Amino acid sequence: MSQFLPEFLQSYIPNAIQLIYLVATGFFIVGIRRLGSPATARSGNQLAAVGMLIGIVVTMFDREIVSFELIIAGIIIGTLLGAIAAKKVQMTAMPEMVAVFNGFGGGASALVAWGEFARVDPSLIPADGLVTTGLSIMIGSITFTGSFIAFGKLKGFIGGGRIALPGQNYINLLLTAVALGLVGWFAVDPEYQLVFWLLFGLALLIGVLTVLPIGGADMPVVISLLNSYSGIAASMAGFVLGNNLLIISGALVGAAGLILTNIMCKAMNRTLWNVLFGAFGGVSDTTESADGDKSYQQTFADDVAIQCAYASKVVIAPGYGLAVAQAQHTLKEVANMLEERGVTVKYGIHPVAGRMPGHMNVLLAEADVPYDQLYDMEEINPEFKSTDVVLIIGANDVVNPAAKTSPGSPIYGMPILNVDEAKRTIVFKRSMNPGYAGIDNDLFYSDKNQMFFGDAKKSLQELASSLKELD
């Protein structure tokens, strides 16, 4: 596009491009910063999108592009597909959509590196360029297949339990070492095409074999980690293209993803190594059901309405079951009715509640729950001792006292919402089956707990009707 400008302006273009890239980077940084709060997340996402648009437009002046037809067509088609998908996707399917985005991001980076490698004479590419090309292909391909395996586990196409060959961890480590060796070989002898294709194929296989053994309970961490991988792959592609904006934006995504992964691991009291090589969770045929000798108390809408209506403070602990039932709007209606009675209502959000980081925050924001009512685990835990009633809606593992009391439990040491310290807990659940981690919950059998069985949305509707009858 630059060839269409006057000659005296063309000399200023390279510096102007780098300056505008810096502006776009500023949009990315501010956008990511604003994603840290539900109150500013929407504007943060919009700022980052503006930065990306600036980057795309400016890059057209920097790449010696002659024909724009395919590029413009790609932008239009991609924009339409993205807009339609964003409008149609259900909140329950948001984790799967994020996994797909991660996969496409990694795949795109690998294809960009491949395209640049195929465009020029390999003998003319410097060694550092060949290394970054190999790494972009390797990381991007692992992200691509790994993300779609995660998508399959979340969607239910693939079993949520551990699916692995004997010695799977050693196989994965060996294959990764071989792939890195192929990157080195590729950098030394880029004209030997077999090495390139072996690297490509092996990386795709590693993505499958790495995520397949990981249990469903660890999917939030896996999604966050794959998001980081997609950023690193993009950054490597930026080095291949010599594009500073792609290098910086990829590094931002990679770093943000790793930081979030670390936060998620701490929330589960597990190391990343343990997540990747010692996974647990997912419903399987060997999952043990609740002990039939244990007794629990069942309750119904009228009783729950009375307890909540005459409470001083009610805390709501949401989980994935709330999203499955699409009950967030009904929950907000119930909360409004309680507040009209003078009841203090707060929401306790566990970092790994749901199937991806921030899932519950987004779900409740969709129902216009005030941001100042959303409390992180560290903020809400000290308040449970002064809470009259905790409504646990679709959550299980994140409120399981076994994390504090059972050293033999797989979740022992995992920080949880200390709902057991409240005066009364009421669990909204379809049945007594274990949660996603496949572990029975001792809270269900506590003297202070009651079970309210049924679909979460229907149960909340019954609760709303009972509250109206009290008026």
Side-chain angles (χ1 to χ4, degrees):
M1 186 177 287
S2 60
Q3 65 266 31
F4 299 115
L5 297 176
E7 186 174 348
F8 75 94
L9 288 177
Q10 293 186 22
S11 61
Y12 294 98
I13 288 178
N15 290 334
I17 286 173
Q18 298 307 314
L19 179 61
I20 298 175
Y21 277 170
L22 185 61
V23 173
T25 300
F27 275 92
F28 292 151
I29 294 173
V30 175
I32 291 176
R33 176 67 182 85
R34 293 182 71 80
L35 289 174
S37 168
T40 58
R42 186 186 298 271
S43 63
N45 197 33
Q46 292 169 344
L47 284 173
V50 170
M52 182 58 67
L53 178 61
I54 292 172
I56 292 173
V57 172
V58 172
T59 299
M60 292 183 178
F61 287 88
D62 188 36
R63 297 292 94 191
E64 300 178 359
I65 298 169
V66 177
S67 176
F68 291 90
E69 289 82 357
L70 290 177
I71 293 176
I72 294 174
I75 292 174
I76 293 174
I77 294 172
T79 300
L80 289 175
L81 290 175
I84 293 172
K87 288 290 185 181
K88 286 187 172 293
V89 66
Q90 298 291 333
M91 281 305 303
T92 51
M94 193 61 71
E96 292 95 308
M97 189 174 188
V98 172
V100 170
F101 281 164
N102 290 340
F104 282 153
S109 298
L111 290 176
V112 166
W114 177 19
E116 184 68 8
F117 172 71
R119 188 178 69 88
V120 300
D121 184 349
S123 62
L124 300 178
I125 303 176
D128 58 345
L130 292 170
V131 170
T132 53
T133 299
L135 288 175
S136 182
I137 290 170
M138 176 182 167
I139 299 172
S141 299
I142 290 173
T143 305
F144 178 75
T145 52
S147 295
F148 278 94
I149 293 298
F151 168 82
K153 281 179 171 281
L154 290 167
K155 200 69 175 175
F157 299 153
I158 303 172
R162 182 178 174 85
I163 304 173
L165 299 170
Q168 182 71 68
N169 293 340
Y170 297 105
I171 294 173
N172 291 346
L173 290 173
L174 177 62
L175 292 179
T176 302
V178 171
L180 291 171
L182 289 174
V183 171
W185 190 354
F186 171 71
V188 173
D189 188 9
E191 296 189 42
Y192 189 29
Q193 293 289 310
L194 180 61
V195 175
F196 175 85
W197 293 111
L198 283 174
L199 174 61
F200 219 139
L202 185 59
L204 292 171
L205 178 62
I206 291 173
V208 174
L209 296 180
T210 299
V211 179
L212 201 59
I214 298 177
D218 288 326
M219 279 302 110
V221 179
V222 173
I223 289 175
S224 178
L225 182 62
L226 289 170
N227 178 250
S228 176
Y229 283 178
S230 69
I232 296 171
S235 189
M236 292 294 104
F239 281 108
V240 173
L241 296 174
N243 186 292
N244 290 330
L245 181 64
L246 192 54
I247 294 171
I248 294 172
S249 60
L252 286 172
V253 174
L258 285 176
I259 292 171
L260 183 57
T261 300
N262 184 54
I263 292 172
M264 302 293 283
C265 286
K266 286 184 178 179
M268 299 173 70
N269 193 41
R270 307 181 67 210
T271 64
L272 182 58
W273 179 271
N274 186 250
V275 170
L276 294 176
F277 300 109
F280 70 93
V283 178
S284 67
D285 294 337
T286 59
T287 299
E288 294 183 4
S289 59
D291 190 336
D293 295 334
K294 295 181 179 179
S295 61
Y296 57 86
Q297 304 176 61
Q298 186 175 355
T299 190
F300 300 92
D302 292 342
D303 183 47
V304 176
I306 293 172
Q307 294 185 69
C308 292
Y310 296 101
S312 175
K313 180 166 68 175
V314 171
V315 174
I316 298 168
Y320 185 63
L322 180 69
V324 171
Q326 300 183 40
Q328 62 271 26
H329 296 283
T330 310
L331 174 61
K332 177 63 164 56
E333 179 186 351
V334 169
N336 288 342
M337 296 173 69
L338 293 176
E339 288 173 336
E340 290 172 0
R341 288 178 163 272
V343 179
T344 299
V345 177
K346 297 183 179 182
Y347 297 78
I349 312 296
H350 192 282
V352 295
R355 293 294 181 268
M356 71 175 185
H359 194 181
M360 292 299 103
N361 301 74
V362 176
L363 186 75
L364 295 172
E366 185 187 40
D368 295 323
V369 173
Y371 300 129
D372 58 2
Q373 290 185 0
L374 304 181
Y375 291 79
D376 292 335
M377 177 178 64
E378 294 80 5
E379 297 174 314
I380 199 66
N381 269 347
E383 298 198 27
F384 282 118
K385 290 182 179 179
S386 61
T387 299
D388 298 300
V389 180
V390 180
L391 302 180
I392 303 163
I393 306 176
N396 192 324
D397 304 312
V398 297
V399 297
N400 192 338
K404 299 185 296 183
T405 60
S406 302
S409 172
I411 64 171
Y412 181 71
M414 168 181 161
I416 61 169
L417 295 172
N418 295 327
V419 298
D420 57 313
E421 296 179 357
K423 298 174 184 177
R424 166 69 69 190
T425 56
I426 300 174
V427 178
F428 288 61
K429 208 171 184 301
R430 289 180 179 273
S431 69
M432 292 295 291
N433 289 335
Y436 204 58
I439 303 166
D440 197 16
N441 193 336
D442 292 338
L443 178 70
F444 298 166
Y445 315 106
S446 169
D447 293 337
K448 296 192 297 182
N449 181 71
Q450 294 178 335
M451 304 297 299
F452 188 6
F453 294 116
D455 173 80
K457 186 174 183 178
K458 183 178 179 181
S459 296
L460 286 168
Q461 289 172 340
E462 292 174 358
L463 175 57
S465 297
S466 297
L467 285 170
K468 291 178 181 178
E469 293 176 1
L470 292 177
D471 293 334

